[in-house]
Amino acid sequence: MFRPGMKGNTVNTSPTASAAMTSATAALLESLACASTDPQDRAHASTDRSGYVSPSVPDGVVFAESIDDVAQTMRRASELGVQVVPRGAGSGLAGGAAAHAGQVVLDVSRMNRILHIDPVEQIAVVEPGVVNAAVNAAVAEHGLFYAPDPASTAICSIGGNIATNAGGMWCAKYGVTRESILALRVVLPDGRILDTGRGTIKGVTGYDLNALMIGSEGTLGIVVEAKLRLRPRPVHTATLVAYFPDVAAAAQAASAIIAARVQPSVLELMDGQTLAAVDAAQGSDHAVRGGAFLLAQTDGYGAYLEQEVLVEAIRPYASSMEQAADAEHAGALMAARRAAIPSVEELGRVSICDVGVPRNRLAEAFAGLDAIAAKTGVRIFTVAHAADGNLHPMIVVEPHESITEGPAKEALGEMFHLAKGLGGTLTGEHGVGLLKRDWLQAELGDTSLELQHAIRDVFNPRGLLNPGKAI
Amino acid sequence: MTTTHSTTKIVDALQAALPGRVDTDPALLDAFTTDRSGHRSPGAPLAVVNACTIEDVQAACRLASEFRVPVVSRGAGTGLAGGAIAGPGEIVLSLTGMDRILEVSPANRLAVVEPGILNGDLNRVLAGHGLWWAPDPASKDISTVGGNIAMNAGGLLCAKYGVTREAVLALKVVLADGRLITVGHRTVKGVTGFDVCALMIGSEGTLGIIVEATLKLQPLVSGGVATVGAFFDSVEDAAAAASAITAEGLVPSIMELMDGRTITAMERFAGDAVFGGAGAFLLVQCDGPAAQATASRAAALATAIGGRVETTTDPEESDRLVGLRRNAFPALEAMGTMLVEDMAVPRDRMADAFAAIRRIEQKYDVAIPSTCHAGDGNLHPSFVYTGDTVPENIWAAAGEMFRTALDFGGTLSGEHGIGLLKRAWLRDELGDDQYELQRGIKELFDPLGILNPGKVFVPED
Ligand SMILES: Cc1cc2nc3c(=O)[nH]c(=O)nc-3n(C[C@H](O)[C@H](O)[C@H](O)COP(=O)(O)OP(=O)(O)OC[C@H]3O[C@@H](n4cnc5c(N)ncnc54)[C@H](O)[C@@H]3O)c2cc1C
Ligand SMILES: Cc1cc2nc3c(=O)[nH]c(=O)nc-3n(C[C@H](O)[C@H](O)[C@H](O)COP(=O)(O)OP(=O)(O)OC[C@H]3O[C@@H](n4cnc5c(N)ncnc54)[C@H](O)[C@@H]3O)c2cc1C
């Protein structure tokens, strides 16, 4: 199993090994058998996949192996007043798991067991560190699947997915993470254990704290166990790829599909620049076939009937269309989309943005992104979960340039204003983390933001858990 | 709740601020002392404010805060948990006058509506656009969208199409002090900050007043429906058939189960042996392109467990079979006052839950006709009695029912909410820590405790 950044052993070196460490963090790390102060572990835990460069490294990393480890860490940390940053697989794109000096990282990636699969109830109970793809591989044997599948499925953890309310390709039809989590076990900042949600499909006793935990980016508690809702695998899946003269035509086609009242399970759009990047990295030839690409999947018994409706909706805009002949062909098309981010990452330093817009305004969003690239001088490559109006414009700068300051930051700010102007949102699925806090108030307004702080204070009154993130 | 100000003062202030919107006629006020739970408050509320605009709601909340007078939001009053009941010293904020559809956007598959519109009325308009809003309580023609959201209502179709929470994108909410906030997003996805929209859904009028909702719509399902009616000798067999259908990975749009006592009541109500004296009835409806294939598979599974099965794709015959289920509540209500329970259990414990219901019937000497949304394990064991107060043995039986649900790894309430009816058991289900966190949230939204006090949480003093 892929376990990013995991080392075979962690050394429990003496706290004096690190000069900058405070006495409180030293006391915490010394008291925990599963703690590491290895420089490499600490450097690794100082950032995630957002491109954010932390000014310093955390004082240590706790590699929890059980709920008890987590509870003990939090109890001790709150006694000692130590700030704790939860960490899953570190694939986050908002700097949510990034940590700095004076902080301790609580890494749950070793808690990666699948505890129970119940094919009759269509439920799985898992530890938080299990990798998303590992869950899907295990439940596939029972003819089931776990629907929220971020493009990072092979490198992200279920706990991180829950903390960010991750989306993915299938969520147009099957919903985001929130719709697939029945219950959670959470360790609160003071070490107490809280169970939210329930074992049944429906339930309305009291406020929905389960939903509140989902997407809280590690600021309300640490997810240590999750009960996942699984779904029967669709009997048929029909995959189609269409090429367009330009991205505007592709965006119009995507909007036409929504208006045509079919429900694709996957609807992914890539612009011309991204196609060229994928071709360069993968040796494929998408860019010669068009200036934009739309990948559409329909599933269930009606997959092929729905595909016919979809084809009619796209026809006026597309320059060519191709139906996947078999599962292998479909897999290759999906792989092209999954390769988009890594391929662009080969071109320089990348910041992956995450705006959401109403679904009939996709074309305007793409036009706006072109204008932002022209204005700020950064390169922008864009993929989109088109069925939910969620765009991932990737800002690319040269390897020596900053991705969090200067033109890159200016472009990010412009994107937010673009999304807001179109009736959209700052972040569709990656979260606010560290990198989007500057614009949060503009989106939520003062009163909402005040309430959000008050909610955090109910769970995390001393602000020791993931301070400065999300809100 | 005690108030230091004289109660006439708030009524005067409301009348001055909202001329023509405030009713104090005792004959009118009586209607607000009950909902459909069988409960009645000890007396009439002070006044009802018939809000027509968001500003009306804000003005009412500002005054209620100033005078520290409780506000009970009310949609259509069809709640089964006593949530919309108002009593002496309280103001009712009625939202049924705010019933406009502000926008339907087929291109975004969303609608923006005021809270007082009836679910059924909305869906009739949406059908003209080829769309629908999926929450489908059996009460859809008589309950409001705002009430559905405040309760996170479920229904017959939600095993396949989700409950209300999954069908709401954004809300406008007036806070206790009259400030207006927007929560959620007009986009399908969005993760800025905590999910306060989800927190509002199902909050039963205790955190804020929902004054506008942006709803996520679905395309009308094409391909017709296929319906299976299966008659069994025993409810255990019917429950086993339902579990088998779920285990097979089939996803019917409707899967409803009724026990023998319900069938008897319905045959008496209809004056006709429509069920041929069966001991249990399982209704399965499938929609979409796979309708027929799914239905015939479900029929085969039911037959294998001893069901006598009718399958049809004829719309009229389908309606007749579904109508059998929709008539269950009216048939039981015809026998007296109804107390409807609402426990949910994991789907493979349904047969156990029915066995427990029979044991409780014997122990407390009551009849408990029960229906069940079998696709999601949500049971409605019902008690029927005469008069206004719930008899002692029925309370005791209800209490044991709640504990049984928890023992099965289930929940007190699948869809009807806590209100007054189940507040005494809330702490048992949530545990002390979560209960305190929930109270903490209540307090930060409503520091004066004026929003629907005494509902959901037992008053502390
Ligand atoms: C190539 C690539 C593609 C991606 N595609 C998508 C996509 O399609 N959709 C999408 O939504 N995201 C995508 N992402 C972003 C990322 O994978 C997700 O945000 C993912 O959910 C993060 O999981 P993680 O385990 O890596 O969490 P981390 O990065 O370790 O942490 C993310 C946040 O969650 C918190 N956290 C982690 N674990 C826990 C826990 N157990 N309890 C409490 N808090 C916790 C952290 O404190 C942090 O705030 C992509 C990333 C990459 C690199
Ligand atoms: C025959 C029958 C069948 C039923 N079937 C189902 C079913 O299948 N599934 C199901 O879930 N329920 C069912 N119910 C219960 C009931 O219809 C639902 O709970 C419904 O959602 C209540 O809507 P309402 O407009 O009547 O709300 P009300 O009863 O007026 O209010 C219910 C609660 O919501 C609050 N509230 C109402 N409007 C607002 C608002 N705008 N802002 C804030 N708070 C508000 C009230 O304070 C109260 O706490 C049934 C009821 C009956 C009588």
Side-chain angles (χ1 to χ4, degrees):
Chain A
M1 185 185 305
F2 185 86
R3 294 163 75 192
M6 289 302 305
K7 300 172 60 254
N9 285 303
T10 55
V11 266
N12 201 3
T13 48
S14 128
T16 47
S18 151
M21 198 180 298
T22 68
S23 59
T25 55
L28 174 66
L29 292 165
E30 209 164 282
S31 70
L32 299 166
C34 48
S36 159
T37 52
D38 177 273
Q40 252 179 302
D41 286 338
R42 289 160 58 201
H44 180 76
S46 70
T47 190
D48 58 4
R49 290 287 293 273
S50 61
Y52 170 76
V53 183
S54 176
S56 56
V57 300
D59 291 1
V61 182
V62 177
F63 291 100
E65 297 191 356
S66 66
I67 294 180
D68 235 28
D69 287 349
V70 175
Q72 202 197 340
T73 305
M74 294 316 296
R75 233 179 354 255
R76 289 288 291 143
S78 78
E79 282 162 17
L80 293 161
V82 173
Q83 297 185 353
V84 174
V85 178
R87 185 177 183 90
S91 74
L93 294 171
H100 56 69
Q103 298 183 321
V104 166
V105 170
L106 180 47
D107 182 314
V108 297
S109 58
R110 286 186 186 174
M111 295 173 67
N112 63 356
R113 285 177 305 161
I114 295 173
L115 301 173
H116 178 60
I117 296 173
D118 181 341
V120 176
E121 270 298 281
Q122 296 163 10
I123 278 175
V125 180
V126 304
E127 292 186 331
V130 64
V131 167
N132 181 296
V135 172
N136 259 320
V139 305
E141 289 170 26
H142 303 278
L144 299 168
F145 77 112
Y146 174 65
D149 75 321
S152 51
T153 173
I155 54 163
C156 63
S157 73
I158 294 288
N161 295 162
I162 292 166
T164 57
N165 193 15
M169 299 204 208
W170 286 329
C171 68
K173 180 165 178 178
Y174 296 104
V176 291
T177 299
R178 190 188 73 173
E179 277 78 72
S180 287
I181 302 295
L182 296 175
L184 295 173
R185 178 160 288 178
V186 175
V187 174
L188 294 172
D190 60 9
R192 283 180 303 164
I193 289 170
L194 175 74
D195 287 316
T196 64
R198 51 192 66 76
T200 54
I201 301 293
K202 281 200 302 199
V204 293
T205 27
Y207 304 134
D208 194 346
L209 296 195
N210 207 47
L212 198 61
M213 279 294 158
I214 298 166
S216 65
E217 303 192 35
T219 63
L220 301 183
I222 297 177
V223 175
V224 291
E225 199 177 290
K227 190 172 276 181
L228 314 179
R229 178 179 187 175
L230 309 172
R231 291 164 206 272
R233 269 201 172 273
V235 277
H236 305 299
T237 301
T239 308
L240 171 97
V241 61
Y243 296 88
F244 301 84
D246 53 36
V247 75
Q252 281 169 324
S255 295
I257 290 171
I258 307 300
R261 310 203 303 257
V262 276
Q263 183 59 72
S265 48
V266 170
L267 188 63
E268 294 292 322
L269 194 160
M270 283 199 265
D271 71 0
Q273 295 96 295
T274 311
L275 286 180
V278 169
D279 286 347
Q282 317 287 322
S284 49
D285 62 348
H286 296 290
V288 299
R289 287 184 254 175
F293 154 113
L294 198 58
L295 174 69
Q297 232 171 38
T298 45
D299 70 10
Y301 278 98
Y304 291 97
L305 290 172
E306 286 194 275
Q307 191 180 54
E308 282 170 29
V309 182
L310 206 133
V311 165
E312 288 318 308
I314 298 180
R315 200 184 293 284
Y317 308 96
S319 36
S320 68
M321 277 189 253
E322 195 184 311
Q323 271 164 266
D326 51 30
E328 202 179 321
H329 188 189
L333 292 170
M334 292 288 274
R337 165 60 183 88
R338 290 197 198 274
I341 294 175
S343 302
V344 171
E345 281 176 334
E346 291 185 15
L347 301 177
R349 294 182 83 155
V350 178
S351 166
I352 304 173
C353 312
D354 179 38
V355 294
V357 300
R359 291 178 281 189
N360 61 343
R361 308 203 72 172
L362 274 174
E364 289 164 83
F366 279 103
L369 289 171
D370 278 346
I372 292 171
K375 183 174 165 195
T376 59
V378 300
R379 287 187 290 165
I380 299 177
F381 297 70
T382 303
V383 296
H385 305 299
D388 351 274
N390 186 197
L391 293 92
H392 295 315
M394 292 174 270
I395 300 172
V396 180
V397 296
E398 297 306 317
H400 62 273
E401 291 173 330
S402 170
I403 193 70
T404 47
E405 297 301 328
K409 182 165 187 185
E410 191 195 337
L412 187 62
E414 294 274 342
M415 276 178 206
F416 167 56
H417 293 295
L418 170 68
K420 192 165 158 61
L422 295 172
T425 178
L426 178 57
T427 172
E429 57 182 22
H430 295 165
V432 175
L434 205 52
L435 302 181
K436 295 169 209 156
R437 289 179 307 171
D438 292 0
W439 302 283
L440 191 63
Q441 184 182 18
E443 176 161 333
L444 296 180
D446 288 333
T447 309
S448 276
L449 195 58
E450 194 186 300
L451 280 172
Q452 300 251 347
H453 280 281
I455 290 171
R456 191 195 50 192
D457 291 347
V458 170
F459 289 83
N460 185 11
R462 296 167 63 204
L464 291 175
L465 192 59
N466 221 2
K469 308 292 174 52
I471 59 169
Chain B
M1 158 148 291
T2 54
T3 67
T4 47
H5 295 262
S6 96
T7 50
T8 53
K9 264 199 189 153
I10 170 100
V11 176
D12 289 348
L14 283 170
Q15 271 165 338
L18 299 163
R21 305 271 160 88
V22 185
D23 270 327
T24 54
D25 178 351
L28 282 175
L29 293 178
D30 188 57
F32 299 102
T33 61
T34 59
D35 58 3
R36 295 285 288 270
S37 66
H39 275 256
R40 185 179 282 280
S41 73
L46 290 173
V48 53
V49 175
N50 297 299
C52 294
T53 64
I54 293 178
E55 290 74 26
D56 289 353
V57 175
Q58 289 184 281
C61 287
R62 269 195 298 270
L63 288 171
S65 278
E66 186 183 326
F67 291 91
R68 312 221 162 181
V69 171
V71 176
V72 180
S73 305
R74 188 175 177 100
T78 68
L80 295 170
I85 290 178
E90 299 184 322
I91 300 289
V92 175
L93 186 50
S94 169
L95 297 145
T96 50
M98 293 174 69
D99 62 353
R100 287 177 306 158
I101 298 174
L102 304 173
E103 179 190 352
V104 177
S105 168
N108 279 311
R109 277 193 211 147
L110 62 78
V112 182
V113 303
E114 292 185 333
I117 186 168
L118 295 180
N119 177 320
D121 288 348
L122 171 65
N123 270 308
R124 269 183 286 281
V125 173
L126 293 176
H129 298 273
L131 297 165
W132 63 299
W133 189 53
D136 164 66
S139 55
K140 66 189 294 180
D141 285 322
I142 52 170
S143 64
T144 66
V145 169
N148 296 163
I149 295 170
M151 304 308 290
N152 193 15
L156 302 192
L157 293 165
C158 68
K160 179 164 181 183
Y161 292 102
V163 292
T164 302
R165 192 190 69 175
E166 274 87 79
V168 175
L169 293 173
L171 297 172
K172 280 194 179 153
V173 175
V174 172
L175 299 175
D177 60 11
R179 285 183 297 172
L180 179 69
I181 59 170
T182 303
V183 295
H185 305 270
R186 197 178 152 87
T187 49
V188 187
K189 286 198 296 198
V191 291
T192 26
F194 303 129
D195 196 346
V196 181
C197 191
L199 200 57
M200 283 292 163
I201 298 168
S203 66
E204 307 193 21
T206 64
L207 297 182
I209 294 133
I210 296 155
V211 291
E212 191 182 296
T214 303
L215 308 176
K216 182 177 174 182
L217 308 177
Q218 311 228 16
L220 278 179
V221 180
S222 57
V225 297
T227 309
V228 181
F231 303 85
F232 293 87
D233 291 336
S234 75
V235 74
E236 283 79 4
D237 287 351
S243 293
I245 288 168
T246 300
E248 182 83 356
L250 304 179
V251 187
S253 50
I254 295 178
M255 185 152 71
E256 294 289 319
L257 197 161
M258 290 186 282
D259 71 354
R261 290 198 191 280
T262 309
I263 287 175
T264 308
M266 291 179 69
E267 291 191 332
R268 194 181 313 148
F269 185 65
D272 188 3
V274 277
F275 294 94
F281 177 62
L282 183 69
L283 171 76
V284 180
Q285 188 166 80
C286 308
D287 65 3
Q292 285 203 41
T294 312
S296 51
R297 191 74 202 106
L301 290 166
T303 308
I305 295 175
R308 294 175 295 286
V309 173
E310 278 175 34
T311 306
T312 179
T313 51
D314 175 54
E316 257 172 56
E317 182 58 12
S318 282
D319 284 351
R320 188 186 70 83
L321 288 170
V322 177
L324 292 177
R325 165 63 181 88
R326 293 212 191 259
N327 280 334
F329 276 12
L332 293 170
E333 269 186 320
M335 294 161 55
T337 312
M338 239 177 113
L339 178 71
V340 185
E341 290 311 338
D342 180 34
M343 69 196 209
V345 299
R347 287 175 287 191
D348 54 358
R349 304 299 298 270
M350 275 186 298
D352 297 340
F354 279 106
I357 289 168
R358 265 213 315 273
R359 186 176 46 73
I360 292 171
E361 280 187 323
Q362 284 179 355
K363 181 165 167 191
Y364 295 94
D365 189 26
V366 285
I368 314 179
S370 302
T371 59
C372 173
H373 304 302
D376 42 35
N378 185 194
L379 287 86
H380 294 313
S382 307
F383 302 92
V384 184
Y385 57 96
T386 44
D388 262 356
T389 39
V390 182
E392 216 36 64
N393 63 330
I394 289 188
W395 258 138
E400 181 151 345
M401 196 91 77
F402 294 140
R403 282 185 296 275
T404 307
L406 298 182
D407 288 345
F408 285 152
T411 176
L412 290 178
S413 179
E415 57 181 19
H416 296 163
I418 302 299
L420 283 174
L421 205 61
K422 290 162 224 158
R423 63 181 192 180
W425 291 276
L426 183 64
R427 197 189 266 271
D428 288 347
E429 176 166 339
L430 298 182
D432 288 342
D433 286 344
Q434 188 176 172
Y435 188 82
E436 290 311 324
L437 285 170
Q438 299 234 357
R439 287 210 62 110
I441 289 173
K442 161 74 176 165
E443 232 173 86
L444 74 92
F445 278 87
D446 181 22
L448 301 176
I450 59 166
L451 290 182
N452 219 359
K455 312 292 167 54
V456 183
F457 304 105
V458 178
E460 296 249 284
D461 38 19

